[in-house]
Amino acid sequence: MVPAARVVFLLICLFAVLANGATRNYKFNIVMRKTTRLCSTKPIVTVNGQYPGPTLSAREGDTVLVKVVNHVKYNVTLHWHGVKQLRTGWADGPAYITQCPIQPGQSYVYNFTLTGQRGTLWYHAHILWLRATVHGAIVIKPKRHLPYPFPKPYKEVAVILGEWWKADTEAVINQAMKSGVAPNVSDAHTINGHPGQISSNCSSPQDGFKLQVKSGKTYLLRIVNAALNEDLFFKVAGHKLTVVEVDAVYTKPFTTDTVVITPGQTTNVLLTTDKTAGQYMVTASPFMDAMIIPIDNRTATATVHYEGTLAEASAITAVNVPSRNATSIATGFINSLRSLNSNNFPANVPKKIDHSLLFTIGLGINPCPSCINGTRIVAAMNNVSFIMPTTAILQSHFFNKKGTFTTDFPGNPPVTFNYTGNGPTNLQTSTGTKVYRLTYNSTVQIVLQDTGIIAPESHPIHLHGFNFFEVGRDVGNYDPKTSPSKFNLVDPIERNTIGVPSGGWAAIRFKADNPGVWFMHCHFEVHTTWGLKMAFLVENGNGLNESLPPPPGDLPKC
Ligand SMILES: *[C@@H]1O[C@H](CO)[C@@H](O)[C@H](O)[C@H]1NC(C)=O
Ligand SMILES: *[C@@H]1O[C@H](CO)[C@@H](O)[C@H](O)[C@H]1NC(C)=O
Ligand SMILES: *[C@@H]1O[C@H](CO)[C@@H](O)[C@H](O)[C@H]1NC(C)=O
Ligand SMILES: *[C@@H]1O[C@H](CO)[C@@H](O)[C@H](O)[C@H]1NC(C)=O
Ligand SMILES: *[C@@H]1O[C@H](CO)[C@@H](O)[C@H](O)[C@H]1NC(C)=O
Ligand SMILES: *[C@@H]1O[C@H](CO)[C@@H](O)[C@H](O)[C@H]1NC(C)=O
Ligand SMILES: *[C@@H]1O[C@H](CO)[C@@H](O)[C@H](O)[C@H]1NC(C)=O
Ligand SMILES: *[C@@H]1O[C@H](CO)[C@@H](O)[C@H](O)[C@H]1NC(C)=O
Ligand SMILES: *[C@@H]1O[C@H](CO)[C@@H](O)[C@H](O)[C@H]1NC(C)=O
Ligand SMILES: *[C@@H]1O[C@H](CO)[C@@H](O)[C@H](O)[C@H]1NC(C)=O
Ligand SMILES: *[C@@H]1O[C@H](CO)[C@@H](O)[C@H](O)[C@H]1NC(C)=O
Ligand SMILES: [Cu+2]
């Protein structure tokens, strides 16, 4: 290249880099849509009539404006799952935590910037059980002209895993809350909205999602677990998958047969089409090693279809589906995850901890005279079953209105017991709208300790407003004397949702450098409904740059 051409080329690159930070405008109409899937013709709540909803695409540094218009009879809010929302807590979306709902006929513009994140995230309704059908992928490309830290894929495909009920999901959870027992499990899992080859008259292999591929290429699958209540195994027959990113954070690449993904998590994998022809089954099947918990054990299927291959159902190479209690496969996958931790993408793990917290997570049983057994199943963190307020906590906090919440969420379990053992005889929980207060910039470690109350069970815990590092995990009870010696403070995985192992614990760390009110909850929707949730209140720091601005004018009112 001659020097002049080179200068022009560099100027173009410079311009392109400076031109980052475009504004992406979206309009999401929340509408009912009739559908015919799995023998049902029920109307479902959708974004723009689509299930799954449209993909929201942007680049790192872009500002996203989504005008959400509510045309349905339900109150609605949307959450941008994993978007850090730096000083834009008003756009985070969990109902009654950061905003009042968008009521029927109303609209609200979510306004946020994608700062320091690239990869796959997703959006979903954050009220009632509407996220069952109101969800879609968020694809954040790197800034213009910045490459991926892995070979450029030939094509990129969103793969959204979900759960499908024949009945109206609001009727399912309402019935459960009335009776006090667990809600009905789903009738199918789905891959991009389709159950695939399930033993039912209403679908055949051809009904499933089909990924058409060319031989000898690399495809990037952007996998999202949008299921309400189930961890999932994901496999492609005859092919290995290379994990390169989770929750919009690059990982050290590693190769696996099986991906394990909890509700709320996203995983990007490279699929190399190293066969010459054929059809290969893709499966999403449940992982739940607490055998007494009822689950939907049906496997959703899709196909990877090589170009030029005849579509005969009989010729699909099958998957060896893991059993629901294949704990060793799940543990092997989770233990392989590491942050990339490169110069460009360092793992800034907090080393000095200001708040060292221990939160028990699990179930409980409270009295309920009108319920079937006179009791209802509940769930709690540190024995507090969270009560939803009737006005948003962030608004009350910002305008200094008293009475909505208290700041006495306990930093440790109120009673010490053998958490993973038989547990206390009194299974009752306390109730309240309690938050834990943090000063700006303080560093936090939370040990999330599963309890064996009713049953030990894995819990996908999601934190809003931050990514965290998962510095340690194990089965049994966390031991403050011996457990920290095994922590990984060098290249632990960084993410926004963590699967706490059944009958075990996980330790996470983050720096509270985002002022606002940030929800933390189980991403099994049934557990959230039962009260397994709390919030952190992060105070403002110094000056405007470390403070939460006032709310936008169209913020919905209660
Ligand atoms: C979005 O928020 C930014 C401040 O963060 C503000 O400057 C801009 O006007 C907002 N845009 C809209 C359409 O509300
Ligand atoms: C839940 O399942 C039971 C038993 O199959 C059934 O009778 C009930 O109608 C279901 N509830 C809903 C809301 O579909
Ligand atoms: C499928 O449909 C046929 C004809 O309607 C019926 O005889 C059969 O019992 C159905 N099978 C299942 C599994 O529902
Ligand atoms: C799935 O669950 C149903 C009902 O709980 C049970 O009858 C069936 O045997 C289970 N199938 C498998 C493969 O575990
Ligand atoms: C899974 O559960 C089945 C049925 O309870 C049991 O036979 C099997 O040993 C279990 N497998 C593992 C890996 O625990
Ligand atoms: C509650 O009631 C259901 C349905 O009658 C029953 O199956 C279950 O065993 C009861 N659970 C408890 C804890 O009493
Ligand atoms: C806790 O309970 C488990 C299961 O019963 C038991 O194996 C373990 O020894 C107990 N731990 C302590 C410290 O008592
Ligand atoms: C939880 O709180 C309830 C109500 O205050 C109390 O009865 C129970 O003993 C507590 N349990 C634990 C494990 O802290
Ligand atoms: C927070 O941390 C940043 C960067 O480390 C620092 O510049 C800032 O002064 C700190 N603010 C407060 C209130 O501690
Ligand atoms: C806030 O940040 C901007 C850009 O990072 C900087 O130019 C400005 O001086 C900061 N303002 C204050 C009050 O710190
Ligand atoms: C919708 O939200 C408003 C504000 O919180 C509330 O007053 C109203 O009862 C809600 N509507 C329904 C149907 O829940
Ligand atoms: Cu849970």
Side-chain angles (χ1 to χ4, degrees):
M1 217 188 272
V2 296
R6 181 170 299 217
V7 168
V8 170
F9 176 75
L10 287 176
L11 280 176
I12 290 171
C13 290
L14 180 66
F15 180 76
V17 169
L18 291 178
N20 266 316
T23 300
R24 310 275 174 167
N25 276 286
Y26 281 88
K27 186 164 180 199
F28 280 8
N29 284 307
I30 309 300
V31 292
M32 298 304 291
R33 182 63 169 250
K34 265 210 169 155
T35 173
T36 52
R37 278 170 220 252
L38 272 176
C39 311
S40 96
T41 53
K42 68 173 181 185
I44 57 171
V45 187
T46 65
V47 175
N48 297 348
Q50 289 171 249
Y51 168 73
T55 295
L56 195 163
S57 301
R59 282 189 192 278
E60 180 183 343
D62 287 353
T63 292
V64 179
L65 295 172
V66 189
K67 180 171 186 181
V68 176
V69 188
N70 183 359
H71 299 280
V72 301
K73 66 177 179 181
Y74 303 107
N75 281 339
V76 169
T77 71
L78 287 195
H79 169 53
W80 318 92
H81 185 114
V83 173
K84 286 186 193 165
Q85 301 289 6
L86 222 50
R87 298 193 306 117
T88 50
W90 304 112
D92 191 40
Y96 301 110
I97 306 297
T98 61
Q99 70 166 97
C100 295
I102 308 169
Q103 296 183 38
Q106 294 184 347
S107 68
Y108 178 48
V109 178
Y110 289 88
N111 176 355
F112 54 89
T113 300
L114 298 165
T115 307
Q117 293 180 283
R118 72 303 295 167
T120 308
L121 294 172
W122 64 301
Y123 62 83
H124 61 78
H126 215 306
I127 185 167
L128 309 170
W129 272 28
L130 297 183
R131 80 172 177 85
T133 54
V134 178
H135 61 248
I138 300 177
V139 171
I140 312 171
K141 295 280 187 100
K143 290 186 176 177
R144 221 172 270 284
H145 301 291
L146 289 186
Y148 292 125
F150 47 81
K152 188 177 181 337
Y154 171 69
K155 271 200 174 135
E156 305 186 359
V157 188
V159 178
I160 300 179
L161 313 178
E163 257 185 296
W164 181 263
W165 277 258
K166 287 181 188 172
D168 173 11
T169 41
E170 292 312 316
V172 171
I173 184 58
N174 288 342
Q175 184 183 47
M177 292 310 280
K178 254 200 184 126
S179 60
V181 300
N184 291 355
V185 299
S186 56
D187 297 300
H189 295 105
T190 55
I191 299 175
N192 283 345
H194 297 277
Q197 189 181 26
I198 184 176
S199 54
S200 148
N201 269 0
C202 311
S203 62
S204 68
Q206 280 68 32
D207 291 337
F209 172 70
K210 192 182 282 189
L211 175 60
Q212 297 278 4
V213 298
K214 282 188 197 316
S215 179
K217 304 281 187 198
T218 299
Y219 291 79
L220 179 69
L221 308 186
R222 298 175 173 275
I223 309 165
V224 176
N225 186 348
L228 283 197
N229 296 320
E230 285 174 16
D231 296 350
L232 295 168
F233 289 120
F234 177 85
K235 292 184 83 166
V236 179
H239 292 75
K240 299 255 189 214
L241 304 168
T242 302
V243 177
V244 291
E245 180 237 296
V246 300
D247 294 6
V249 179
Y250 294 130
T251 65
K252 290 194 173 72
F254 72 96
T255 297
T256 182
D257 284 338
T258 311
V259 166
V260 181
I261 185 165
T262 77
Q265 294 181 335
T266 57
T267 305
N268 279 9
V269 300
L270 297 174
L271 168 76
T272 300
T273 47
D274 54 7
K275 308 283 193 266
T276 52
Q279 296 179 87
Y280 298 86
M281 189 174 283
V282 178
T283 58
S285 64
F287 166 53
M288 168 56 81
D289 52 10
M291 298 308 273
I292 74 157
I293 307 286
I295 57 160
D296 171 8
N297 59 15
R298 298 166 189 86
T299 297
T301 64
T303 39
V304 166
H305 187 118
Y306 279 71
E307 212 174 72
T309 305
L310 288 178
E312 288 170 79
S314 56
I316 301 178
T317 305
V319 166
N320 180 13
V321 177
S323 61
R324 65 172 278 185
N325 55 345
T327 310
S328 60
I329 295 177
T331 308
F333 177 86
I334 292 160
N335 289 344
S336 302
L337 289 167
R338 294 280 183 287
S339 285
L340 184 58
N341 191 27
S342 64
N343 285 338
N344 288 337
F345 304 103
N348 293 318
V349 187
K351 302 288 177 351
K352 184 187 127 302
I353 296 299
D354 300 319
H355 296 261
S356 190
L357 312 177
L358 177 66
F359 289 4
T360 56
I361 53 177
L363 306 183
I365 295 180
N366 281 352
C368 170
S370 62
C371 292
I372 290 177
N373 302 328
T375 57
R376 69 160 73 250
I377 307 177
V378 294
M381 279 181 154
N382 272 350
N383 202 39
V384 183
S385 295
F386 189 89
I387 302 295
M388 285 312 246
T390 52
T391 186
I393 295 178
L394 187 61
Q395 279 158 295
S396 299
H397 163 58
F398 189 86
F399 295 107
N400 211 10
K401 280 208 194 92
K402 306 280 175 232
T404 307
F405 64 91
T406 55
T407 55
D408 55 348
F409 187 87
N412 284 283
V415 174
T416 308
F417 58 99
N418 182 352
Y419 305 116
T420 53
N422 290 331
T425 46
N426 172 7
L427 303 185
Q428 244 174 270
T429 66
S430 65
T431 53
T433 307
K434 298 173 190 287
V435 307
Y436 190 94
R437 190 184 276 275
L438 296 169
T439 55
Y440 187 85
N441 268 353
S442 56
T443 50
V444 186
Q445 173 176 297
I446 313 168
V447 175
L448 298 159
Q449 172 72 61
D450 184 31
T451 74
I453 295 175
I454 301 186
E457 190 179 346
S458 73
H459 297 276
I461 302 296
H462 172 49
L463 176 62
H464 290 226
F466 306 91
N467 280 352
F468 51 74
F469 293 93
E470 180 198 316
V471 296
R473 66 162 55 228
D474 208 343
V475 292
N477 297 325
Y478 174 77
D479 182 339
K481 289 199 190 69
T482 58
S483 302
S485 65
K486 284 181 250 160
F487 281 0
N488 175 3
L489 302 179
V490 178
D491 61 354
I493 197 68
E494 178 186 343
R495 59 189 328 165
N496 63 59
T497 307
I498 185 187
V500 177
S502 180
W505 56 270
I508 63 173
R509 289 185 176 192
F510 67 98
K511 185 180 181 188
D513 55 3
N514 192 8
V517 174
W518 304 109
F519 209 16
M520 187 168 82
H521 61 97
C522 185
H523 224 280
F524 286 160
E525 210 56 39
V526 54
H527 292 175
T528 301
T529 308
W530 283 343
L532 215 169
K533 50 197 173 188
M534 58 81 67
F536 286 101
L537 189 163
V538 180
E539 291 168 353
N540 287 335
N542 295 326
L544 290 179
N545 283 354
E546 296 184 353
S547 299
L548 180 74
D554 61 343
L555 186 75
K557 291 179 179 59
C558 282

